[in-house]
Amino acid sequence: MRENRFYEAFDVIILLSVLVLVTIGIAFIYSSGINSEGILVTNEYIKQIIWAGIGLVFLVFFAMYDYRRFERPAYWFYLALILVLIYTRIFGRYVNGARSWLGIGDFGVQPSEFGKIVFILTLAKYLDVSEGENPVKRLLISSAIFALPILLILSQPDLGTASVYIPIFFMMCFMAGLPLRYLLFIFGSGAMVVLFTILPVWNEYIAHNSAVFVTALTNLKLKIILILACAAVTLISVVVRRYFGGKKYFYWIGYGFLLVTIGLIFSTFAGKVLKDYQIKRLIVFMDPSVDPLGAGWNIIQSKIAIGSGGPFGRSFLHGTQSHYRFLPQQSTDFIFSILSEELGFAGGAFVFILYLILMIRTIFIIKNTSNSFGAYIASGVLGLLFIHFFINVGMVMGIMPITGIPLLFLSYGGSSLLTAMTAMGLLMSINYRKFDFS
């Protein structure tokens, strides 16, 4: 039996990449706290150093701890998460328009952030124990595990955090071998819901026209008629295809109209949950000039910051957009804008490379682990890394909606940093025990 050594549990590639990213994050959180007169006006960087120290303890603990021991109590963790999310919805504190925080005084945590790890562990357990079962049953139960926390988070409402769960779910289900056509159906249904939810607001603020179809989306009676018509076309297509030997295109007609029907139905509920200003934030990136002093301000100022950085930046602590306070939420959502202004394209590319290293290393761990539970956890972590990076960087560049998703390891915030460090610890634990069958 091989003797375990303390240092062997740590993946050097992951550890060094994380430490460099966290160090960069602290440096630019410090920079974001300096005003136009060169005076430090916040102590956020000190808090981030403390969170980083606690996060390092989390990383060490989860790297040393056998991740397989989380499989048995995973459902209990999930139940606890649901109860905490319900409590947060009722008694939580409002921050940036969402009741998503718990805490006393200046100390606060965001349960939905830690919930990402619990969700990954729970779904990984179910996908592991259900291998070999009917794929439709697996998909339905997996979807239920996914839907419950999502609905509670959306009710806060915290659209940004809820959206992070989506790629985690799809990545894990894909790795579990669920049929791609089922996953594409769920994805297509979700896309239709989003489309029909934002279309009326897009028409009003950006397109400025009165299309008949869009009018039907804003009038409940017309929308009900449209839903019934699409449902009827779906039913007729299924009947013709199944009982009268209709050609294959009847299948695709029914498939398409079923997606439209689902989108129309659930967009009605989504429109009740999300406010117009929240939907406007999702579409204003298409044309920030429609509201340059409101919803479009963040994107405009962020693009100015990134563009002014040039190849090598203005140099550390010499950015203007952050020091003159043109960037709102600059230490959290727009930390990459500050980095790009002060270090330029070269600094941004270096951060890109570090994230790419983490994702490639995660794929390597997925490929090489002998334990399905561990492979599903690692695939969930891969989805977590990818979506945070893709949406946050796309957001600050003006090619994605403003959703308030932090850039892991760099953005200020204890909840997101501890979640990310925990995820890295789990990856190390999986990699360390990849050939351990006991």
Side-chain angles (χ1 to χ4, degrees):
M1 183 175 180
R2 182 173 61 87
E3 179 184 354
N4 292 328
R5 297 184 179 89
F6 176 81
Y7 62 85
E8 290 181 348
F10 300 99
D11 188 302
V12 176
I13 296 175
I14 292 177
L15 184 60
L16 288 178
S17 299
V18 167
L19 290 178
V20 173
L21 284 170
V22 171
T23 302
I24 293 172
I26 292 170
F28 284 95
I29 291 170
Y30 175 83
S31 178
S32 73
I34 295 177
N35 64 16
S36 59
E37 298 175 355
I39 300 172
L40 185 66
V41 294
T42 73
N43 64 348
E44 288 181 340
Y45 80 99
I46 296 177
K47 294 180 181 178
Q48 190 73 355
I49 292 173
I50 295 172
W51 284 120
I54 298 172
L56 192 58
V57 173
F58 274 48
L59 184 149
V60 171
F61 171 79
F62 283 97
M64 295 297 298
Y65 194 79
D66 190 340
Y67 71 93
R68 293 168 297 185
R69 296 183 181 179
F70 291 117
E71 185 166 13
R72 179 173 292 181
Y75 293 155
W76 291 107
F77 293 156
Y78 182 79
L79 176 61
L81 169 65
I82 298 304
L83 293 176
V84 170
L85 289 176
I86 293 173
Y87 179 86
T88 304
R89 177 64 184 86
I90 300 172
F91 301 106
R93 297 190 318 196
Y94 273 109
V95 177
N96 296 327
R99 192 190 291 273
S100 57
W101 289 78
L102 295 176
I104 301 173
D106 292 336
F107 177 81
V109 294
Q110 196 172 5
S112 53
E113 282 289 337
F114 297 106
K116 297 169 188 174
I117 300 297
V118 176
F119 170 67
I120 289 172
L121 293 174
T122 305
L123 186 56
K125 174 178 179 174
Y126 174 72
L127 292 173
D128 183 32
V129 300
S130 64
E131 287 183 351
E133 294 184 3
N134 184 287
V136 175
K137 176 186 174 183
R138 293 183 80 199
L139 180 65
L140 290 176
I141 296 178
S142 298
S143 299
I145 294 171
F146 162 73
L148 190 52
I150 285 290
L151 293 174
L152 289 171
I153 295 170
L154 285 174
S155 71
Q156 293 175 353
D158 188 353
L159 180 62
T161 302
S163 65
V164 174
Y165 285 70
I166 298 172
I168 295 174
F169 169 77
F170 280 108
M171 185 72 72
M172 295 179 70
C173 289
F174 177 76
M175 289 301 302
L178 290 176
L180 187 59
R181 65 181 183 275
Y182 295 161
L183 298 178
L184 289 176
F185 178 79
I186 294 177
F187 179 81
S189 300
M192 289 294 104
V193 173
V194 172
L195 175 64
F196 295 141
T197 301
I198 68 174
L199 199 55
V201 181
W202 172 84
N203 183 73
E204 179 181 354
Y205 290 103
I206 295 180
H208 301 294
N209 61 48
S210 55
V212 175
F213 179 72
V214 177
T215 302
L217 295 178
T218 58
N219 185 299
L220 184 58
K221 291 183 179 180
L222 291 177
K223 194 171 187 178
I224 291 174
I225 293 172
L226 191 59
I227 290 171
L228 293 175
C230 291
V233 173
T234 302
L235 182 61
I236 291 171
S237 300
V238 171
V239 170
V240 171
R241 170 67 177 166
R242 187 177 181 88
Y243 298 103
F244 295 96
K247 294 185 178 180
K248 191 172 182 179
Y249 60 77
F250 280 100
Y251 169 84
W252 292 110
I253 291 173
Y255 189 93
F257 274 90
L258 178 59
L259 291 179
V260 173
T261 304
I262 293 173
L264 289 170
I265 292 172
F266 284 95
S267 66
T268 304
F269 298 104
K272 301 292 184 182
V273 174
L274 297 176
K275 305 294 187 295
D276 274 359
Y277 78 89
Q278 292 175 311
I279 300 175
K280 189 176 179 182
R281 287 172 57 189
L282 294 177
I283 62 173
V284 77
F285 75 96
M286 300 177 188
D287 185 8
S289 64
V290 299
D291 190 12
L293 299 179
W297 173 267
N298 296 1
I299 297 176
I300 293 171
Q301 299 305 319
S302 177
K303 291 169 74 173
I304 291 173
I306 294 174
S308 65
F312 301 105
R314 294 175 177 269
S315 76
F316 183 55
L317 301 181
H318 289 86
T320 57
Q321 293 299 103
S322 62
H323 294 174
Y324 283 92
R325 294 297 184 265
F326 289 120
L327 286 171
Q329 307 294 332
Q330 56 190 23
S331 64
T332 53
D333 300 346
F334 292 91
I335 194 73
F336 189 78
S337 304
I338 302 174
L339 182 147
S340 297
E341 183 180 23
E342 298 186 4
L343 296 186
F345 176 81
F350 181 65
V351 170
F352 268 65
I353 292 170
L354 290 174
Y355 272 97
L356 183 61
I357 290 172
L358 285 177
M359 285 186 246
I360 292 175
R361 187 61 179 167
T362 305
I363 294 172
F364 177 84
I365 291 171
I366 295 171
K367 182 179 177 181
N368 287 279
T369 184
S370 61
N371 185 288
S372 296
F373 180 60
Y376 297 148
I377 293 173
S379 62
V381 173
L382 178 62
L384 177 71
L385 285 171
F386 173 79
I387 196 62
H388 270 274
F389 178 78
F390 180 75
I391 290 187
N392 182 274
V393 174
M395 177 181 75
V396 301
M397 289 182 173
I399 59 174
M400 293 291 290
I402 302 293
T403 54
I405 293 178
L407 186 57
L408 294 182
F409 307 114
L410 270 75
S411 293
Y412 169 73
S415 298
S416 63
L417 183 58
L418 294 183
T419 299
M421 298 291 258
T422 299
M424 295 302 101
L426 286 171
L427 282 182
M428 293 182 188
S429 179
I430 294 166
N431 187 50
Y432 180 48
R433 297 167 178 85
K434 59 188 175 185
F435 297 129
D436 189 349
F437 294 92
S438 60

